[in-house]
Amino acid sequence: MNSTLGYFSLVSAVAVLGFVYWLWRYRKRQQFIHAPFPQEWDRILRANIPVYQRLSEPLRQQLQGHIRQFIHDKEFIGCGGLEINSTIQLTIAAGAAMLLLNRPTTGYSSLRWIYVYPSSFVTDREQRDDSGVVSSARVGTLGESWSNGKLVLSWNDAEQGIHDFTDGHNVILHEFAHQLDGEQQGTNGAPVLDNPGAYKVWTKVLSGEFENLQRKASVGSATVIDKYGATNPAEFFAVATEAFFERPEDMARHHTSLFNVLTDFYKVDPRDWL
């Protein structure tokens, strides 16, 4: 009997200690997230991300909160000799946070590690030729989004993409759009929507635009949306996200239905930031 009581007493003590530790970490996290935004961070963002200064004050404050949470929750790992610093952390966190403005979000809760290379990195990719033969090839890559809590970026391309917020190319937005896409089973170009009934419109609009991009890509026509989006629906959603944030006027003019669907999803109108 005494040994049984001792066992349960030990289990209870461990449980209490575990709860106390969790509560301590939770409070430390809340204190970090809700602390005043450091002036040095604000200076870095203004210097490196021009669009940051064009946000309304409420949106900028919201962005700052997401940035603090992101930096607290995610681990940045330098690769290829790159040393992580505040500029790298803030730039990537700000790009990721732009996709969360005005939206209910868990802050990429399944993502834990951000691996950052100095420039494009080499990965092994399977390729299928016209006859259906699959082969492996080593290709240069700007970024990759994985489903196991990892995301990989080229810092050179990430910095360039978010500094020039008008060319429609932004690897940070691209890879974090994949993260949103993967919040429900698999990446298929259909992220979690507020209203289940919205999937019908989403599927109709994005499928039509995807097929249209494939047609234009096959004949070499000029497009607002990067032709890489013709690869598959997941890539289409990612490049459409890049164009939505960086070329909103062109998208609204030439792809009105797609622009409206993405406005409903992202809860912002980037034309306000021009």
Side-chain angles (χ1 to χ4, degrees):
M1 179 64 73
N2 289 338
S3 62
T4 302
L5 287 175
Y7 171 77
F8 283 109
S9 296
L10 178 61
V11 170
S12 299
V14 170
V16 169
L17 288 174
F19 175 76
V20 170
Y21 177 67
W22 173 87
L23 185 62
W24 175 79
R25 289 193 61 185
Y26 174 79
R27 286 177 174 173
K28 294 288 287 185
R29 180 177 183 270
Q30 292 301 106
Q31 289 172 0
F32 180 87
I33 292 173
H34 296 293
F37 201 72
Q39 291 185 350
E40 177 63 14
W41 288 14
D42 183 73
R43 185 194 66 77
I44 291 172
L45 291 172
R46 290 179 184 276
N48 288 276
I49 307 177
V51 72
Y52 173 78
Q53 302 182 61
R54 299 197 289 268
L55 299 177
S56 66
E57 187 59 27
L59 276 184
R60 188 158 52 245
Q61 290 181 4
Q62 191 183 146
L63 187 79
Q64 291 172 352
H66 286 310
I67 289 171
R68 291 192 70 94
Q69 179 176 336
F70 190 96
I71 288 177
H72 181 277
D73 293 346
K74 317 305 179 190
E75 180 179 358
F76 288 79
I77 301 170
C79 304
L82 181 69
E83 293 187 9
I84 299 296
N85 56 36
S86 295
T87 298
I88 292 173
Q89 290 179 309
L90 288 166
T91 301
I92 294 173
M98 284 181 185
L99 304 188
L100 307 180
L101 295 172
N102 293 338
R103 301 177 58 243
T105 175
T106 59
Y108 306 106
S109 59
S110 63
L111 178 65
R112 293 184 59 190
W113 301 282
I114 315 295
Y115 293 83
V116 190
Y117 283 85
S119 57
S120 60
F121 49 96
V122 177
T123 58
D124 292 319
R125 293 281 182 87
E126 284 190 350
Q127 297 180 335
R128 184 185 301 271
D129 62 21
D130 294 337
S131 62
V133 176
V134 177
S135 60
S136 179
R138 294 180 65 78
V139 297
T141 307
L142 310 185
E144 286 191 338
S145 176
W146 300 342
S147 60
N148 59 354
K150 300 177 182 179
L151 187 144
V152 192
L153 290 169
S154 155
W155 169 237
N156 180 57
D157 295 283
E159 183 181 33
Q160 179 179 335
I162 204 162
H163 184 75
D164 183 356
F165 213 74
T166 61
D167 63 356
H169 299 290
N170 190 314
V171 68
I172 300 177
L173 299 182
H174 184 105
E175 299 306 332
F176 280 95
H178 281 317
Q179 285 290 311
L180 295 180
D181 189 6
E183 287 182 347
Q184 67 176 9
Q185 300 300 320
T187 52
N188 55 15
V192 177
L193 304 181
D194 291 344
N195 177 8
Y199 284 101
K200 183 176 181 180
V201 174
W202 180 278
T203 301
K204 178 181 178 181
V205 171
L206 270 78
S207 294
E209 290 282 359
F210 173 59
E211 293 171 2
N212 184 47
L213 183 64
Q214 286 185 311
R215 286 193 295 270
K216 288 186 174 182
S218 67
V219 297
S221 298
T223 59
V224 174
I225 303 168
D226 193 310
K227 294 184 179 69
Y228 183 61
T231 306
N232 56 56
E235 296 299 345
F236 178 79
F237 170 60
V239 298
T241 293
E242 294 178 78
F244 172 76
F245 280 95
E246 294 209 351
R247 299 184 63 184
E249 289 187 328
D250 290 336
M251 179 178 276
R253 185 181 306 116
H254 298 288
H255 305 275
T256 306
S257 295
L258 177 60
F259 181 81
N260 291 337
V261 166
L262 292 177
T263 301
D264 289 340
F265 175 69
Y266 282 117
K267 312 299 184 191
V268 293
D269 187 338
R271 292 176 297 183
D272 298 335
W273 311 339
L274 298 176

